[in-house]
């Protein structure tokens, strides 16, 4: 039986969705917001509430949020956004710092993610999200190992892009950007997660990618039902998740068993440094500090799948958007040539070898990436939190929120606000590099490495979050993998620009709005030719 097409599974439960929604609404009613808080996207007449909630799935959802941002957020007012299962309070930009400053016992980011992703179910083990050991390994071991991993990242990028885009130097070929970038990102990321040769196994990569897509789809269905029905509903909804994990486990389990045996031998010989320098090694080492139940091969495999979910699909979105944003810009603006010149100069100064210093000199490349993350953010709203204080919470403006309330911020609207980003709807690849370069007296002649440090200090580098740049979140719960993702994306773009000609696009293919998420075009192509 094939489970890649989940339409048959969905069809089996579609008849009970309406009943599930009705039951859920009655038994787990959303926390009510104060009546004086305005709502957006409301309907009149029959089933007005249900129609508003169903509209949150449509392509018009982003327009509803943007109208609320302009009408209320810009005037320092909160507003309520209807959702299919729950409503959410979206706050003005001035309240982002207040959200960040709240303790997890008051406003909990993790609890919100678990509720939205239904991760107690969709990740096939509640501890994957309740005890995210892998996130700590990313934050600590992956980030501090980045400079040493550059050669492996570069090697895998070169092989993956060449395999996907080919080596034809004579004729132009059309490639589906999203599809090819998914394979490149999955392969390169897994080079760091599980090493070679598993990172190049097509069956493993395809099913890991499918699992990443299963999670949000299954979560959307599970959220429609009350808790007492989820054990039953999950038997059907999670069939694709279990199947794709099973297909991945066929490769992961032998790999993990061997890695555990190798570590035991290395530990006995006092030679742990002989183990591969990858995420699997770091995580197994870290498990010494946790319950023995966490050391089972199945748990380790599930954490690797969770990591794939967290990393691969978001970086694929980023790579796809970056290429479309950059190559649909007018050629006369010189973005591509400026980035190419910068890359060639950086490599010349490092004798053609990529290293930490060389990557740090890619200031314009970094700006092009940050600008794409700004203008093509895939979140209509972010900084989402769940009120977890049993007493509720009172906001600075006096608004009282009861336990279970959802609160967040209109990220997409902020990123497209001319008051914060002049000509905010225009992709300006050098917006962030130019802003700093223009403020440095020409007599100082700063080198690129010094300039990179200044950019970071001025909140202008890709990995630096702020209350005006929220693509990675902000504060202590900002994405821990952003340093790896940014390095991977810059090296990916560098290889493409140096090795391929790409025809400029007359028009950027539009992104898709689905359930409040802003997704890159999945089928759009670009025309490429290998450089001679």
């Amino acid at each position: 039986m094939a489970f890649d097409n989940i339409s048959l599974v969905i069809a089996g439960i579609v008849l009970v969705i309406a009943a599930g929604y009705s039951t859920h609404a009655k038994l787990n009613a959303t926390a009510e917001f104060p009546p004086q808080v305005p709502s957006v996207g409301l309907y009149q007449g029959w089933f007005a509430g249900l129609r508003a909630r169903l509209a949150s799935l449509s392509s018009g959802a982003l327009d509803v949020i943007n109208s609320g941002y302009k009408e209320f957020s810009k005037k320092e007012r909160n507003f309520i956004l209807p959702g299919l299962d729950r409503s959410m309070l979206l706050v003005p930009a001035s309240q982002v710092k207040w959200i960040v400053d709240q303790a997890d016992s008051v406003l909990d980011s993790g609890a919100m993610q678990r509720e939205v992703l239904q991760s107690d179910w969709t990740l096939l083990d509640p501890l994957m999200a309740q005890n995210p050991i892998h996130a700590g390994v990313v934050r600590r071991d992956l980030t501090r190992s980045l400079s040493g991993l550059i050669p492996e990242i570069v090697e895998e990028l070169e092989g993956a892009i060449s395999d996907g885009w080919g080596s034809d130097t004579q004729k132009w070929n059309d490639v589906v950007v999203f599809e090819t970038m998914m394979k490149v990102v999955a392969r390169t990321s897994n080079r760091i997660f599980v090493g070679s040769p598993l990172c190049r196994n097509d069956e493993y990569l395809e099913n890991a990618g499918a699992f990443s897509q299963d999670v949000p789809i299954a979560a959307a269905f599970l959220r429609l039902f009350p808790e007492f029905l989820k054990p039953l509903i999950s038997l059907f909804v999670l069939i694709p998740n279990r199947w794709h994990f099973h297909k991945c486990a066929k490769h992961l389990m032998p790999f993990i068993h061997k890695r555990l045996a190798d570590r035991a031998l290395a530990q006995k010989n006092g030679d742990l440094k002989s183990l591969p320098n990858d995420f699997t090694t770091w995580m197994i080492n870290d498990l010494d500090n946790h319950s023995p139940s966490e050391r089972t091969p199945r748990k380790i495999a599930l954490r690797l799948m969770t990591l794939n979910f967290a990393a691969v699909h978001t970086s694929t979105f980023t790579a796809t958007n970056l290429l479309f944003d950059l190559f649909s810009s007018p050629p006369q603006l010189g973005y591509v040539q400026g980035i190419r010149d910068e890359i060639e100069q950086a490599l010349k100064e490092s004798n053609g070898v990529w290293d930490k210093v060389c990557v740090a000199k890619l200031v314009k490349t970094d700006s092009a990436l940050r600008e794409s993350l700004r203008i093509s953010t895939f979140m209509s709203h972010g900084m989402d939190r769940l009120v977890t204080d049993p007493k509720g919470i009172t906001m600075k403006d006096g608004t009282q929120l009861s336990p279970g309330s959802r609160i967040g911020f209109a990220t997409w609207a902020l990123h497209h606000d001319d008051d914060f980003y002049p000509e905010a709807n225009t992709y300006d690849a050098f917006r962030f590099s130019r802003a700093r370069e223009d403020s440095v007296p020409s007599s100082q002649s700063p080198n690129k490495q010094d300039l990179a440090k200044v950019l970071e200090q001025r909140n202008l580098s890709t990995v630096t979050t702020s209350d005006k740049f929220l693509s990675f979140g902000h504060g202590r719960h900002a994405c821990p993998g952003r340093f790896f993702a940014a390095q991977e994306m810059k090296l990916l773009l560098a290889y493409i620009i140096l090795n391929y000609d790409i025809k400029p696009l007359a028009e950027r293919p539009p992104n898709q709005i689905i359930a409040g998420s802003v997704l890159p075009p999945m089928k759009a192509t670009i025309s490429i030719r290998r450089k001679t």
Side-chain angles (χ1 to χ4, degrees):
M1 180 177 181
F3 295 108
D4 289 327
N5 186 340
I6 67 168
S7 59
L8 293 178
V9 177
I10 295 174
I13 65 169
V14 72
L15 294 178
V16 297
I17 286 179
Y21 179 88
S22 176
T23 303
H24 186 36
K26 292 177 181 177
L27 299 181
N28 279 327
T30 61
E32 290 191 17
F33 294 105
Q36 69 271 21
V37 180
S39 296
V40 295
L42 296 182
Y43 287 78
Q44 303 295 324
W46 290 91
F47 304 108
L50 179 59
R51 289 161 58 201
R53 293 177 185 277
L54 290 174
S56 68
L57 299 177
S58 71
S59 59
L62 189 60
D63 292 334
V64 171
I65 296 175
N66 291 340
S67 67
Y69 177 84
K70 294 175 182 177
E71 183 176 357
F72 302 112
S73 296
K74 296 286 287 182
K75 300 174 184 177
E76 293 297 315
R77 296 184 65 191
N78 307 314
F79 67 92
I80 299 170
L81 175 69
L84 183 61
D85 60 324
R86 300 278 297 277
S87 295
M88 171 177 283
L89 187 78
L90 297 185
V91 304
S94 60
Q95 299 299 307
V96 170
K97 184 178 185 304
W98 175 83
I99 291 177
V100 169
D101 289 343
Q102 301 308 306
D104 291 345
S105 59
V106 178
L107 291 180
D108 195 337
S109 171
M112 183 67 181
Q113 290 180 14
R114 292 195 298 274
E115 184 171 291
V116 171
L117 292 174
Q118 294 289 294
S119 50
D120 287 358
W121 302 95
T122 57
L123 297 179
L124 307 182
D125 186 326
L127 288 179
M128 294 302 107
Q130 293 177 14
N131 185 22
I133 295 170
H134 49 277
V137 177
V138 169
R139 185 177 293 106
R140 181 184 60 253
D141 298 277
L142 176 58
T143 300
R144 72 185 181 192
S145 301
L146 281 179
S147 59
L149 296 172
I150 289 175
E152 294 177 66
I153 295 173
V154 170
E155 180 183 57
E156 212 57 49
L157 281 171
E158 291 176 352
I161 295 172
S162 295
D163 288 349
W165 282 16
S167 56
D168 193 335
T169 60
Q170 300 301 314
K171 65 177 183 178
W172 292 91
N173 296 290
D174 291 341
V175 295
V176 180
V177 177
F178 181 83
E179 178 183 305
T180 54
M181 286 301 102
M182 173 74 84
K183 294 178 180 178
V184 169
V185 169
R187 180 168 154 179
T188 305
S189 299
N190 275 279
R191 175 66 180 267
I192 306 307
F193 299 164
V194 298
S196 177
L198 184 52
C199 70
R200 298 170 188 171
N201 184 291
D202 288 338
E203 184 179 40
Y204 165 69
L205 293 178
E206 288 172 8
N207 284 281
F211 180 87
S212 298
Q213 297 176 26
D214 295 337
V215 171
I217 294 173
F221 279 93
L222 287 170
R223 288 201 305 269
L224 297 175
F225 297 90
E227 289 299 321
F228 78 87
L229 281 179
K230 288 176 184 177
L232 174 61
I233 300 301
S234 66
L235 293 175
F236 304 98
V237 174
L238 298 183
I239 287 176
N241 305 51
R242 295 190 184 99
W243 174 251
H244 292 127
F245 173 67
H246 167 74
K247 298 288 283 185
C248 286
K250 183 172 73 173
H251 303 282
L252 284 175
M253 297 299 271
F255 162 76
I256 294 168
H257 276 291
K258 184 178 186 306
R259 187 62 67 86
L260 287 169
D262 290 346
R263 184 183 186 275
L265 181 60
Q267 192 170 30
K268 180 180 178 180
N269 296 332
D271 190 22
L272 287 176
K273 291 185 178 180
S274 65
L275 295 171
N277 184 36
D278 60 24
F279 183 88
T280 303
T281 293
W282 307 329
M283 184 165 62
I284 291 175
N285 288 340
D286 186 68
L287 291 177
D288 286 344
N289 304 313
H290 299 275
S291 167
S293 63
E294 290 287 355
R295 294 184 66 86
T296 67
R298 185 178 188 277
K299 281 258 174 82
I300 295 171
L302 281 170
R303 291 202 182 278
L304 288 169
M305 296 295 286
T306 300
L307 189 65
N308 269 277
F309 163 68
V312 173
H313 77 290
T314 52
S315 291
T316 300
F317 291 170
T318 300
T320 304
N321 281 324
L322 175 60
L323 293 175
F324 282 129
D325 287 333
L326 184 60
F327 288 97
S328 63
S329 298
Q332 60 268 27
L333 294 176
Y335 294 154
V336 175
Q337 187 60 50
I339 292 171
R340 181 182 293 115
D341 292 343
E342 175 182 74
I343 295 166
E344 290 175 342
Q345 181 63 30
L347 281 172
K348 180 180 179 181
E349 293 173 3
S350 66
N351 297 315
V353 177
W354 284 110
D355 57 23
K356 180 180 179 180
V357 174
C358 186
V359 174
K361 294 177 181 178
L362 303 185
V363 177
K364 290 181 177 178
T365 310
D366 185 272
S367 175
L369 173 59
R370 182 180 174 95
E371 173 71 346
S372 180
L373 285 165
R374 177 196 71 81
I375 198 170
S376 298
T377 179
F378 37 86
M379 300 177 294
S380 59
H381 56 80
M383 299 297 294
D384 298 346
R385 301 289 192 270
L386 192 71
V387 178
T388 50
D389 191 321
K391 301 187 298 293
I393 187 173
T394 302
M395 297 180 63
K396 292 173 66 175
D397 64 359
T399 301
Q400 294 183 333
L401 303 178
S402 57
S405 300
R406 292 178 177 179
I407 185 173
F409 180 75
T411 301
W412 197 95
L414 172 77
H415 282 191
H416 291 78
D417 189 333
D418 288 329
D419 289 342
F420 300 121
Y421 297 100
E423 297 185 54
N425 289 310
T426 299
Y427 177 77
D428 180 355
F430 300 155
R431 180 186 299 272
F432 300 105
S433 57
R434 187 188 310 111
R436 183 54 194 147
E437 287 174 321
D438 288 349
S439 69
V440 178
S442 58
S443 59
Q444 293 183 17
S445 302
N447 62 51
K448 287 291 183 67
Q449 189 176 358
D450 292 337
L451 188 56
K453 293 178 180 177
V454 176
L455 283 172
E456 189 164 25
Q457 294 169 358
R458 290 287 302 270
N459 292 339
L460 294 175
S461 72
T462 292
V463 297
T464 306
T465 68
S466 73
D467 58 357
K468 301 299 185 294
F469 181 76
L470 299 169
S471 292
F472 292 116
H474 186 41
R476 65 186 181 279
H477 291 299
C479 173
R482 66 188 185 278
F483 301 95
F484 170 67
Q487 180 169 280
E488 182 182 36
M489 290 299 102
K490 286 184 281 188
L491 290 170
L492 178 150
L493 182 61
Y495 184 79
I496 287 175
I497 284 183
L498 291 181
N499 292 278
Y500 288 90
D501 292 318
I502 298 179
K503 286 185 179 180
L505 297 166
E507 185 178 20
R508 190 200 193 281
N511 285 358
Q512 310 166 63
I513 316 298
I514 301 177
S517 295
V518 187
L519 307 181
M522 305 289 185
K523 301 298 182 182
T525 63
I526 55 175
S527 190
I528 59 102
R529 182 179 62 190
R530 182 85 182 197
K531 289 179 178 290
T532 55

